[in-house]
Amino acid sequence: MIHALNIDSDEAIWQGILRSSVRSVVELKHLLELQESQIDWVENPEFPLQIPRTFIQRMEKRNPLDPLLLQVAPSRAELNSFKGYTTDPLIERDFIQSGGVVKKYANRALVIATGACPVHCRYCFRRHFDYAANQLADFQKTLETLAGDPSIVEVILSGGDPLTLSTSKLDAFVQHLEKLAHIAILRIHTRFPVMIPQRITPAFVEILSKTRLKVVVVVHINHPNEIDDSVHRAIQQLRSAQIDVFNQSVLLKGVNDSVGILSELMFRVFEIGVVPYYLHVFDPVAGAHHYDTSEKTALALWKKLQAQLPGYLVPRLVREVPHEAAKTILC
């Protein structure tokens, strides 16, 4: 339970930023002072455009190849179809249980808590996911599913992004979750500390610091330019509450597929108190083939990265293979 904290004003700030997100390529072009001849974007893509202004502020104006912009701008390349790129690359439909619970691995379960997200990353492997069909809003069913499987030790909140839920709703869920004696760890996967750092409020941090559960937060940073002072402050609030924070990145063509960028990224995330965790090889989702790099390229980059960084800064290079018992570690 949240104690003696007036959360209304903090909640209004981040929710206001979220509501004001840019949803039009015309506005995006205007904000970044780009000419029509410089871009090749789709105005009304199947996967809608959504970018917080807090993220756009970190982009370089008049640069159509800005690495932050490339992650979120809807390229016309999305309209092309290629063999092997599917709407459900991880075949999650085979693992979904009642209440949005996804059980793929031993001892842990992922909860797709919401379909909402602070940003629509164009390479998202769930960009085609049918959230409406999976009754994600019914946390009672979620908790019943988790309670019925005593083998589950760790619950992973995902989405969308679970932090789009209100602080009070997250508080209620955590309180119910910690009543399940077999649950020991709560892991939260979120893009909010990077996209809208204002979401990491004192009330939210208090929820995580007061629970009996061991809390782990996994953020998603692909490029060092994503990190500014506001991101650093958000991470520091989590770290000051003794919450472990890890980073996972996706290897993206044209964004971070160079040893120089990856090396700078790993140093930068460590500098702000985040541990490099995974470097994901691209999941072959339909509409995002233009971000893909070959596994051979990924391995070569990782080996160069290993030669440049101390071991504790080298993330594991992984691929998620459907129906495997764990992520496949390539290096």
Side-chain angles (χ1 to χ4, degrees):
M1 182 177 181
I2 306 172
H3 297 286
L5 281 172
N6 181 2
I7 68 171
D8 291 345
S9 59
D10 288 339
E11 203 90 338
I13 290 171
W14 71 262
Q15 289 178 347
I17 295 170
L18 182 60
R19 283 194 300 271
S20 71
S21 294
V22 171
R23 294 177 171 85
S24 161
V25 297
V26 173
E27 184 177 11
L28 181 61
K29 180 181 69 173
H30 173 74
L31 289 171
L32 294 176
E33 300 177 10
L34 292 166
Q35 301 300 314
E36 191 67 35
S37 60
Q38 293 179 287
I39 61 175
D40 188 24
W41 298 343
V42 181
E43 172 57 53
N44 294 301
E46 179 184 350
F47 184 47
L49 174 73
Q50 180 175 310
I51 316 168
R53 296 173 192 274
T54 42
F55 193 60
I56 294 172
Q57 289 166 2
R58 293 170 230 156
M59 298 176 187
E60 181 184 6
K61 291 184 177 180
R62 297 178 293 281
N63 180 8
L65 298 180
D66 178 90
L68 277 57
L69 175 63
L70 290 178
Q71 297 180 54
V72 295
S75 168
R76 191 164 297 278
E78 294 184 19
L79 303 178
N80 300 327
S81 298
F82 289 88
K83 184 178 180 180
Y85 294 83
T86 70
T87 58
D88 187 10
L90 305 185
I91 315 183
E92 288 191 308
R93 61 182 177 272
D94 289 354
F95 305 98
I96 295 178
Q97 302 176 8
S98 180
V101 175
V102 180
K103 182 73 186 300
K104 292 194 288 187
Y105 302 140
N107 304 323
R108 54 203 184 276
L110 183 144
V111 174
I112 302 178
T114 175
C117 200
V119 63
H120 288 176
C121 301
R122 310 312 301 176
Y123 54 86
C124 179
F125 70 88
R126 289 199 185 112
R127 57 180 288 162
H128 304 282
F129 188 84
D130 189 352
Y131 292 99
N134 287 283
Q135 300 177 313
L136 307 183
D138 192 341
F139 271 153
Q140 184 60 42
K141 289 186 178 179
T142 303
L143 291 163
E144 288 173 1
T145 299
L146 296 173
D149 188 347
S151 73
I152 297 172
V153 174
E154 178 179 22
V155 170
I156 304 164
L157 281 186
S158 183
D161 193 309
L163 297 198
T164 54
L165 300 174
S166 69
T167 299
S168 59
K169 188 164 187 176
L170 286 169
D171 185 30
F173 181 75
V174 171
Q175 286 188 66
H176 283 93
L177 190 65
E178 61 186 4
K179 292 176 184 177
L180 304 180
H182 56 283
I183 306 297
I185 303 169
L186 172 62
R187 192 195 320 174
I188 300 173
H189 282 224
T190 179
R191 201 75 156 110
F192 262 99
V194 178
M195 291 294 154
I196 305 178
Q198 293 82 354
R199 177 64 185 93
I200 309 305
T201 64
F204 172 68
V205 173
E206 184 188 30
I207 292 168
L208 303 187
S209 64
K210 294 294 181 66
T211 179
R212 70 161 181 85
L213 303 171
K214 172 63 177 175
V215 178
V216 176
V217 172
V218 179
V219 296
H220 178 175
I221 308 173
N222 293 321
H223 195 280
N225 291 359
E226 295 178 40
I227 301 169
D228 67 359
D229 289 343
S230 66
V231 175
H232 189 184
R233 286 193 297 270
I235 297 299
Q236 288 304 110
Q237 288 185 73
L238 295 170
R239 296 291 296 120
S240 65
Q242 307 303 310
I243 296 166
D244 293 316
V245 185
F246 296 86
N247 181 58
Q248 57 180 359
S249 306
V250 180
L251 186 60
L252 300 169
K253 186 176 182 180
V255 173
N256 59 8
D257 58 334
S258 79
V259 67
I261 292 298
L262 290 174
S263 180
E264 183 183 353
L265 172 62
M266 302 313 158
F267 271 117
R268 189 73 181 100
V269 297
F270 185 71
E271 184 179 37
I272 66 169
V274 179
V275 178
Y277 174 41
Y278 278 152
L279 177 60
H280 283 267
V281 174
F282 181 81
D283 294 316
V285 61
H289 67 281
H290 48 293
Y291 291 108
D292 203 358
T293 61
S294 69
E295 192 167 299
K296 180 179 179 181
T297 297
L299 286 165
L301 280 170
W302 187 89
K303 288 178 181 177
K304 290 179 181 178
L305 193 64
Q306 185 188 35
Q308 287 205 7
L309 297 176
Y312 57 86
L313 291 189
V314 182
R316 284 173 286 182
L317 181 67
V318 298
R319 179 187 290 282
E320 189 153 359
V321 180
H323 294 283
E324 288 294 319
K327 285 183 173 61
T328 299
I329 299 177
L330 305 176
C331 279

